[in-house]
Amino acid sequence: MAQTSVSKTREHREEHAISLRGTLASVFIMGIFLLLAWLGVFILFLARL
Amino acid sequence: MHLHRYEKIWLTVGLLTLIVFIIVLGINAFAMGAQPPSDAQVIDPTKVSQTPPFDQPGLKQLGNNNYAADMTAFVFGYAPNRIEIPVRSTVTFNVTSKDVVHGFEIPGTDVNMMIVPGLVNSATHTFTKPGDYLILCNEYCGAGHQLMAAHLVVK
Amino acid sequence: MAEAQAAEVQSVRVDRPAARLSLAYVLSGFLAFGIAAIAGLLQGLDRGGMITLPKWLSYYAVLTTHGVYMGLVFTTFFIIGFFFSGVARTTGGSLPPAARRLGWFGWWMMVVGVIMATIEILAGNASVLYTFYAPMKASPYFYIGTALLVVGSWFGGYGVFSAYRAWKRNHPGKMSPLFTFMAVSTMALWQIATIGVAVEVVLQLIPWSFGWVPTINVLLSRMLLWYFGHPLVYFWLLPAYTMWYVNMPRIIGGKVFSDALARASFILFVLLSTPVGFHHQLLEPGIPPLWKFLHVMLTMMVVVPSLMTAFNMFAVFETAGRAKGATGLFGWFKKLPWNDVRFTAPIMGMIAFIPGGAGGIINAGYQMNEVVHNTIWVTGHFHLTVATTVAMTFFGIAYWLIPHLTGRRLTPAANKVGLAQAVIWATGMLLMSGSMHYMGLLGVPRRTAYTTYMNNPTALSWMPLEGTMALGGVLLFIAAMMMIGMVIYLTWFAPKGFQEYPIGEIGDTAEATPRILERWPVIISLAAVLILVAYAYPVIDTMQNAPPGAPGIKTW
């Protein structure tokens, strides 16, 4: 990265804002899994009440 | 401290979801009565056999289809070790330990509680399906722990 | 120039004296791991009904060995060894002599403690599992042994603190290196957490076990144990998070996403992981519902730093992948170094933490706990979190840490064996933990030897799943023995050379780190306030309104 110039850094910064779409999608897939697992056991709890 | 916009979205949604979990559990427990077993009644753990009602453990009818099961847990069993009730009965299990910590669980129901020496714990359940229900100890209590069980017959 | 600087930073080597100390801890940890794996195999096969243990070998003594050795001995030794190496690596390559002396003193104390506890377990005087619930009464020497293990680990922590202070003195006004900060936070958390178990063991269990006092306040002992029991799991987890935040970015050719957020998540753990212990006691008599619910609420809050960590890790992977030219929503996923065991073992652990975390939120769900409490679901849960997430991260660390410390190299062939080992471990855990979760929902109890409850039809219906669980256990044992083989190879037989100790650089876009994240008096005071809020009233209430105490009994 010896040639890392100011312009490249800036380009990287701009890219940064859009380049985390995959991250957002990934955490939300994970979040949906957490939610479904929780709901599943909560429904089981209500059914066995 | 700077947070990426997506991270703000994620943490906000995540935090709100956790708060919703708390609210749902809170309403179900405190307003609808689905509290986990938290009995506060104390007892001398060395005098369980002399202390009513545990001097005579057994099933007591409280009303129509309403029973109290006063039970003792000990290494490695329960007294009484067999209970019979008619279907659609509501049973309140009041259980204490004569020695070490035990568990009290009826698989297939939400009845599941810790039995700690010196304290009485209780749980109530309505049995709507006939069958032979297994009551088992789910807290390690010693060499015969895997044998510690009782039967609840719903007719 | 930046390149040359980076290369210079990556060539820093942990010097001989620090490496010897770190290696002593790490290798002791793996010795315990090997013994625990043998115990695990025996109990898995016995419980699955595939073998019957001989009369002289109690299932519960084997179970105690497995729990104590995996949960307390392997983890604690490995963690302290890893931290000593990383602190040395990020503060210039060596540890100050005072830090090393504290480290060695702690190591000896821990070794003596483990030997004492082991003798008592093998003699059958301590089949009380690693939670040692009173009033089951073990030999006093078992309790003294475990106390020495814990106190020894304090000295390990003091060693880390002393190296940190020395660095701060030499670098006034500067923010400490991220790894060192994380080591210090985790060991600070450990100091706070172990107060509970130390009080229980020293003031309650030892005097009672010697017969100096006739009875014990059982509920108080359980509160003290679980004051310790939950931060204990974060003590296991945070070193894995340290690896993910600091070492992982370098391994995948990326950068640390945000130094500030990484530190903030660790501070949240220091603050929130202790005042949550009642979520292990939700079904217990003698604790008022509102206090249980308060702990449930705080438990939900301690999920937040893990949500932060998840985002951070995905962001590191995506940024690195896109820098290598990945396109599309998930193209970066394929750019990850899947054939590098230093990456693959830990990421399998990370993936396991998704169901692991989901299970944790369910367990802490107040009344929902009735579905899973003390069923084998819980065993399945911590085999995902500790035995997959944490253990596989530790495996991944060992593959570069051990050769770095011994002046050897992880060869391509060893890397391949490591990949196979990771896949077998993950598969074994999928089978074992998966069937445990499912059986738990059916109500199968944990910590129970082979039983059909006198051929009870309900219990008989569980048997095929117990078989699947045992099969998973066999795969895990094979992977464990491969790991032991690799540890031996990398310590004594691998070719000489230089194995890089990967430390990630901070990304260009990362913001400056606020100073508040290193104001320890503020952080520790806040933690103390939260603990007092959560525990002061219930503990005093339990002491004042206690039922007559329980005499001890040996029931095994």
Side-chain angles (χ1 to χ4, degrees):
Chain A
M1 237 169 281
Q3 70 274 47
T4 304
S5 59
V6 177
S7 72
K8 184 145 185 219
T9 310
R10 186 173 302 136
E11 185 189 318
H12 184 76
R13 267 178 201 276
E14 282 160 4
E15 195 181 73
H16 193 71
I18 51 158
S19 68
L20 291 182
R21 285 181 299 125
T23 300
L24 190 68
S26 305
V27 287
F28 269 92
I29 291 169
M30 188 182 96
I32 288 166
F33 176 79
L34 296 184
L35 184 69
L36 290 179
W38 189 89
L39 277 177
V41 177
F42 188 62
I43 289 167
L44 195 59
F45 169 79
L46 294 178
R48 289 176 175 178
L49 205 59
Chain B
M1 193 165 32
H2 172 78
L3 281 180
H4 189 281
R5 193 165 61 88
Y6 287 171
E7 184 161 14
K8 274 185 203 152
I9 297 172
W10 163 240
L11 290 180
T12 310
V13 172
L15 191 64
L16 286 177
T17 310
L18 292 168
I19 291 171
V20 169
F21 286 173
I22 292 172
I23 293 171
V24 169
L25 294 171
I27 292 173
N28 181 249
F30 289 90
M32 297 162 71
Q35 286 285 7
S38 308
D39 205 326
Q41 200 187 320
V42 298
I43 186 170
D44 186 335
T46 58
K47 298 196 173 67
V48 172
S49 308
Q50 295 99 284
T51 313
F54 301 105
D55 52 343
Q56 286 174 314
L59 190 71
K60 281 130 205 171
Q61 186 152 17
L62 302 175
N64 196 19
N65 276 349
N66 194 4
Y67 298 87
D70 298 316
M71 299 177 71
T72 55
F74 46 85
V75 286
F76 297 101
Y78 299 94
N81 65 9
R82 190 183 160 86
I83 298 172
E84 279 192 29
I85 50 161
V87 74
R88 279 180 293 283
S89 295
T90 301
V91 187
T92 300
F93 300 93
N94 302 307
V95 193
T96 194
S97 168
K98 296 168 90 168
D99 38 59
V100 296
V101 176
H102 294 284
F104 186 97
E105 179 197 321
I106 307 179
T109 74
D110 282 339
V111 177
N112 188 351
M113 58 183 165
M114 300 296 297
I115 312 301
V116 178
L119 293 151
V120 179
N121 210 357
S122 48
T124 303
H125 188 77
T126 304
F127 293 87
T128 52
K129 276 193 222 101
D132 184 347
Y133 289 79
L134 183 64
I135 297 174
L136 59 85
C137 174
N138 63 11
E139 182 58 87
Y140 169 64
C141 57
H145 164 57
Q146 69 280 6
L147 305 171
M148 184 167 166
H151 292 271
L152 176 82
V153 180
V154 180
K155 283 188 178 163
Chain C
M1 206 183 88
E3 179 91 310
Q5 228 168 25
E8 198 186 300
V9 169
Q10 293 305 337
S11 70
V12 172
R13 186 171 203 154
V14 176
D15 70 6
R16 288 288 298 156
R20 262 205 303 275
L21 174 64
S22 172
L23 203 59
Y25 273 100
V26 169
L27 294 182
S28 319
F30 276 109
L31 179 63
F33 171 81
I35 296 168
I38 296 169
L41 177 72
L42 292 177
Q43 83 192 60
L45 292 176
D46 179 81
R47 167 128 195 188
M50 291 172 180
I51 60 164
T52 306
L53 292 177
K55 275 266 182 322
W56 51 268
L57 190 58
S58 141
Y59 175 85
Y60 298 108
V62 174
L63 182 57
T64 304
T65 308
H66 180 72
V68 170
Y69 267 66
M70 279 297 187
L72 299 176
V73 184
F74 165 53
T75 50
T76 310
F77 272 101
F78 184 90
I79 288 165
I80 297 175
F82 174 50
F83 279 163
F84 270 129
S85 75
V87 168
R89 165 69 179 79
T90 55
T91 58
S94 59
L95 291 170
R100 288 203 312 269
R101 272 197 299 275
L102 287 163
W104 279 111
F105 184 73
W107 184 83
W108 278 107
M109 203 176 212
M110 286 166 68
V111 168
V112 170
V114 170
I115 291 171
M116 276 177 82
T118 308
I119 291 171
E120 293 303 322
I121 294 171
L122 292 181
N125 296 328
S127 296
V128 291
L129 312 187
Y130 84 98
T131 43
F132 36 80
Y133 289 145
M136 278 194 288
K137 189 159 89 173
S139 149
Y141 302 102
F142 171 76
Y143 300 124
I144 294 171
T146 48
L148 286 176
L149 173 64
V150 168
V151 176
S153 72
W154 288 351
F155 282 91
Y158 302 152
V160 169
F161 298 155
S162 122
Y164 171 74
R165 265 207 307 275
W167 188 92
K168 283 296 237 184
R169 255 199 314 276
N170 296 332
H171 302 77
K174 279 220 182 114
M175 206 77 188
S176 58
L178 186 57
F179 188 104
T180 299
F181 172 86
M182 289 178 159
V184 169
S185 327
T186 308
M187 293 319 288
L189 170 74
W190 184 239
Q191 300 285 327
I192 297 171
T194 45
I195 293 169
V197 73
V199 169
E200 185 202 0
V201 168
V202 174
L203 297 184
Q204 285 196 292
L205 296 177
I206 292 175
W208 167 72
S209 178
F210 272 118
W212 302 333
V213 293
T215 61
I216 189 163
N217 182 337
V218 178
L219 190 59
L220 181 64
S221 76
R222 297 174 61 81
M223 278 188 185
L224 290 169
L225 183 93
W226 287 114
Y227 166 100
F228 154 80
H230 200 69
L232 168 67
V233 309
Y234 287 108
F235 173 67
W236 296 331
L237 188 63
L238 291 189
Y241 276 20
T242 304
M243 187 274 172
W244 301 355
Y245 274 116
V246 183
N247 308 111
M248 189 64 118
R250 170 73 191 173
I251 291 171
I252 63 158
K255 288 188 174 175
V256 176
F257 177 66
S258 164
D259 177 86
L261 286 171
R263 288 178 204 248
S265 75
F266 269 60
I267 294 302
L268 286 174
F269 281 119
V270 173
L271 294 179
L272 289 169
S273 52
T274 312
V276 297
F278 287 174
H279 77 238
H280 291 260
Q281 300 181 275
L282 290 172
L283 308 188
E284 261 172 71
I287 305 175
L290 275 171
W291 288 98
K292 290 181 178 174
F293 200 70
L294 174 70
H295 282 228
V296 167
M297 291 194 278
L298 287 165
T299 308
M300 294 298 156
M301 293 306 108
V302 79
V303 176
V304 173
S306 284
L307 298 181
M308 289 167 69
T309 304
F311 188 93
N312 244 276
M313 293 323 301
F314 281 120
V316 168
F317 294 150
E318 182 169 12
T319 316
R322 289 199 189 276
K324 287 180 192 162
T327 54
L329 196 54
F330 295 114
W332 45 273
F333 198 73
K334 281 186 261 152
K335 296 277 180 187
L336 294 169
W338 291 101
N339 52 8
D340 181 347
V341 69
R342 300 175 307 156
F343 164 78
T344 307
I347 196 162
M348 287 176 172
M350 286 185 192
I351 293 167
F353 205 57
I354 298 173
I361 299 173
I362 289 165
N363 297 342
Y366 200 51
Q367 67 272 39
M368 268 164 87
N369 187 245
E370 287 169 13
V371 178
V372 295
H373 181 77
N374 270 352
T375 70
I376 204 163
W377 158 289
V378 177
T379 318
H381 165 69
F382 65 72
H383 277 86
L384 278 183
T385 51
V386 182
T388 315
T389 305
V390 173
M392 292 197 80
T393 303
F394 289 0
F395 298 162
I397 293 169
Y399 287 118
W400 49 260
L401 177 61
I402 294 176
H404 178 92
L405 297 176
T406 54
R408 296 175 189 274
R409 276 188 303 113
L410 174 68
T411 57
N415 180 61
K416 278 212 183 77
V417 178
L419 287 171
Q421 187 266 343
V423 170
I424 297 172
W425 184 274
T427 311
M429 206 52 94
L430 192 71
L431 290 175
M432 191 179 86
S433 176
S435 48
M436 282 174 165
H437 275 89
Y438 187 65
M439 283 195 284
L441 292 176
L442 299 176
V444 180
R446 70 188 279 202
R447 300 176 147 182
T448 302
Y450 175 77
T451 179
T452 58
Y453 295 104
M454 311 287 173
N455 290 326
N456 179 282
T458 312
L460 283 173
S461 72
W462 301 332
M463 278 305 139
L465 288 157
E466 305 256 17
T468 313
M469 180 184 78
L471 179 66
V474 172
L475 289 179
L476 286 166
F477 178 74
I478 293 168
M481 291 303 117
M482 288 170 78
M483 188 69 225
I484 295 293
M486 291 302 289
V487 168
I488 292 169
Y489 173 74
L490 294 171
T491 307
W492 289 288
F493 301 105
K496 297 257 182 205
F498 174 73
Q499 178 71 39
E500 178 195 83
Y501 195 121
I503 294 288
E505 292 170 70
I506 312 297
D508 310 330
T509 54
E511 304 282 322
T513 303
R515 314 294 308 175
I516 181 76
L517 294 177
E518 211 159 12
R519 297 242 162 83
W520 291 106
V522 178
I523 294 160
I524 302 294
S525 309
L526 263 176
V529 169
L530 281 167
I531 288 166
L532 286 176
V533 167
Y535 271 110
Y537 178 85
V539 166
I540 291 169
D541 182 53
T542 302
M543 288 166 78
Q544 286 183 340
N545 300 318
I553 172 171
K554 185 181 168 190
T555 56
W556 64 90

